[in-house]
Amino acid sequence: LVTVEAGLPLHRLNALLDAAGLALANLGDIDRQTVAGAISTGTHGTGSAFGGLATRVHALELVTAAGEVLTCSADENADVLEHARVGLGALGVVSTVTLQTVPAFAVHAQERPAPLDETLARFDELTATRDHVEFYWFPHTRGTIVKVNTRLPLEAGLHPLPRARAWWDDELLANTVFGALVSAGRRLPALVRPGARVAAAALGAREFTDLSHRVFVSPRRVRFVEMEYAVPREALLPLVREIVAAVEAGDWRIAVPVEVRTGAADDIPMSMASGRETGYVAVHVAPGSPDQAAYFRTVERLAAQVGGRPHWGKMHSLTADDLRGRYPRFDDFVALRDRLDPAGVLANDHLDTVLGAPVRARG
Ligand SMILES: Cc1cc2nc3c(=O)[nH]c(=O)nc-3n(C[C@H](O)[C@H](O)[C@H](O)COP(=O)(O)OP(=O)(O)OC[C@H]3O[C@@H](n4cnc5c(N)ncnc54)[C@H](O)[C@@H]3O)c2cc1C
């Protein structure tokens, strides 16, 4: 168990854990977030047997709207801990977090391009038998990149990518060239579709083994606007197929890939994976894309049909009325918020939209 200040960025935490021979069990795509920002919004990686970062919270300290410091653990204020692990910033300011870590481990990464149909056909088998699986589909192509990560003991040895290859793939192709394609597409939308074909073809197969966090996390320097929906696992691939069909039927120009991941069910009331095995679909556009509204609206409509829950830290258009039906314990969370912050000290427009107005404003 490791206790940290809640504002510690994950990349600094990972370095400290390395030095202690420890690691976080799983991570999302980047490590720039703070511990509090990551857990409060339900940040997750991929892996059918792995929950998001908040599932590793053992205890936390919460400074309430009244200025009181609540220690929340299994023994004290356990009801608050249950909700505050994914607290949306609505229950108080998280000041310290005690995380369950695991012994440091290595991850063997296999990344390879594959046709979309093959990826969809193999996804259930892969996610059932491998530790961490995800894929990216490049809109306007039938191409995907599939990433399969396998956990290994450190004693198995590390075989990281040579520095030149890592720079070529992660900096030059994934950031510089991809960024140039996205920005060319913003100026000249006719370039988006040929650009997508270039991007899909550029990334080749690669295999390496490195410390877990160095495999899970990548540098991300290309700006994009993102929406992500969590759906029941069995609804994931049908939803992806519908999104593919909508993009193929539409007149949009989508320059940024769709990311598909999975996660274990958890018991955190406001977690996107609360109470159900989960599949995640993230859609992205270049900032300012004229297609954002129609594309995101379409994905939201398709996700709504299967009870999709939007990521709390990404774009969406849902309100408390929509969300209440998608989270069985939504009203328990709001009741706790009203108990801890009846005057709405921590309220803001966004929280009023997704949770409803605080008690005082409701009169
Ligand atoms: C490039 C990129 C890649 C990403 N990849 C992933 C991914 O792989 N998986 C995934 O799930 N998400 C991903 N995200 C989303 C990201 O993890 C969330 O947006 C996260 O909340 C960002 O944390 P932060 O510390 O930067 O945010 P902040 O903006 O500081 O915080 C976000 C929210 O958390 C709450 N919060 C922050 N600090 C506190 C505190 N001390 N007490 C109480 N509440 C607090 C507040 O509600 C705040 O609005 C990605 C985002 C980006 C930009």
Side-chain angles (χ1 to χ4, degrees):
L1 294 176
V2 170
T3 300
V4 297
E5 291 174 341
L8 186 71
L10 293 176
H11 64 96
R12 286 186 48 210
L13 172 59
N14 288 334
L16 292 168
L17 293 179
D18 270 353
L22 299 171
L24 294 175
N26 198 8
L27 284 163
D29 292 340
I30 60 162
D31 59 7
R32 301 293 116 177
Q33 312 95 315
T34 60
V35 171
I39 66 167
S40 300
T41 56
T43 293
H44 61 91
T46 193
S48 299
F50 296 86
L53 271 88
T55 63
R56 301 291 161 159
V57 174
H58 181 81
L60 53 79
E61 269 185 350
L62 190 70
V63 183
T64 67
E68 194 188 349
V69 179
L70 287 188
T71 300
C72 305
S73 68
D75 304 322
E76 270 179 280
N77 300 303
D79 57 331
V80 180
L81 176 68
E82 184 184 30
H83 289 272
R85 291 173 290 170
V86 178
L88 319 184
L91 303 180
V93 177
V94 179
S95 57
T96 69
V97 182
T98 302
L99 290 161
Q100 177 71 60
T101 65
V102 297
F105 62 102
V107 170
H108 175 63
Q110 287 172 300
E111 302 176 2
R112 67 177 195 93
L116 176 65
D117 292 334
E118 180 191 313
T119 299
L120 292 174
R122 291 191 62 212
F123 192 71
D124 285 341
E125 184 244 315
L126 277 179
T127 55
T129 55
R130 306 301 188 87
D131 294 325
H132 306 275
V133 179
E134 69 182 305
F135 75 87
Y136 291 88
W137 169 59
F138 293 82
H140 315 300
T141 78
R142 300 296 287 181
T144 64
I145 290 281
V146 184
K147 297 189 174 189
V148 178
N149 290 333
T150 304
R151 304 164 82 88
L152 294 174
L154 274 187
E155 299 75 60
L158 302 182
H159 305 283
L161 280 178
R163 280 171 77 95
R165 174 75 200 265
W167 175 83
W168 179 268
D169 289 347
D170 297 331
E171 282 300 337
L172 188 70
L173 294 182
N175 281 304
T176 311
V177 172
F178 182 59
L181 288 171
V182 169
S183 101
R186 285 172 69 186
R187 286 193 300 273
L188 260 183
L191 290 180
V192 167
R193 292 179 182 190
R197 287 191 283 276
V198 171
L203 292 172
R206 59 183 195 168
E207 219 167 307
F208 57 98
T209 304
D210 209 337
L211 281 178
S212 57
H213 63 90
R214 289 197 206 137
V215 177
F216 290 138
V217 163
S218 313
R220 291 286 174 86
R221 294 188 228 292
V222 180
R223 283 187 180 273
F224 52 77
V225 182
E226 175 167 355
M227 185 175 75
E228 182 175 52
Y229 266 87
V231 297
R233 175 63 182 84
E234 63 279 8
L236 176 65
L237 295 186
L239 175 62
V240 172
R241 288 194 174 89
E242 288 185 306
I243 294 172
V244 170
V247 171
E248 287 180 347
D251 188 29
W252 307 322
R253 284 166 177 78
I254 310 301
V256 191
V258 173
E259 185 178 19
V260 179
R261 295 182 275 185
T262 63
D266 66 47
D267 61 356
I268 306 174
M270 294 299 260
S271 160
M272 285 91 75
S274 191
R276 65 191 195 194
E277 300 287 316
T278 291
Y280 297 97
V281 186
V283 295
H284 319 75
V285 293
S289 164
D291 298 322
Q292 179 187 327
Y295 180 37
F296 282 15
R297 202 169 43 239
T298 300
V299 173
E300 287 207 296
R301 180 176 54 74
L302 295 171
Q305 291 168 4
V306 288
R309 298 167 175 166
H311 192 299
W312 294 112
K314 304 184 183 181
M315 308 288 292
H316 70 87
S317 70
L318 301 197
T319 65
D321 289 340
D322 307 308
L323 291 160
R324 178 170 284 107
R326 304 194 197 184
Y327 285 91
R329 300 195 52 202
F330 187 87
D331 285 328
D332 293 347
F333 184 86
V334 174
L336 179 65
R337 189 277 303 259
D338 287 347
R339 171 157 76 84
L340 292 173
D341 185 16
V345 171
L346 296 164
N348 55 46
D349 289 346
H350 178 71
L351 288 178
D352 287 357
T353 302
V354 297
L355 298 178
V359 173
R360 195 175 63 179
R362 290 204 302 267

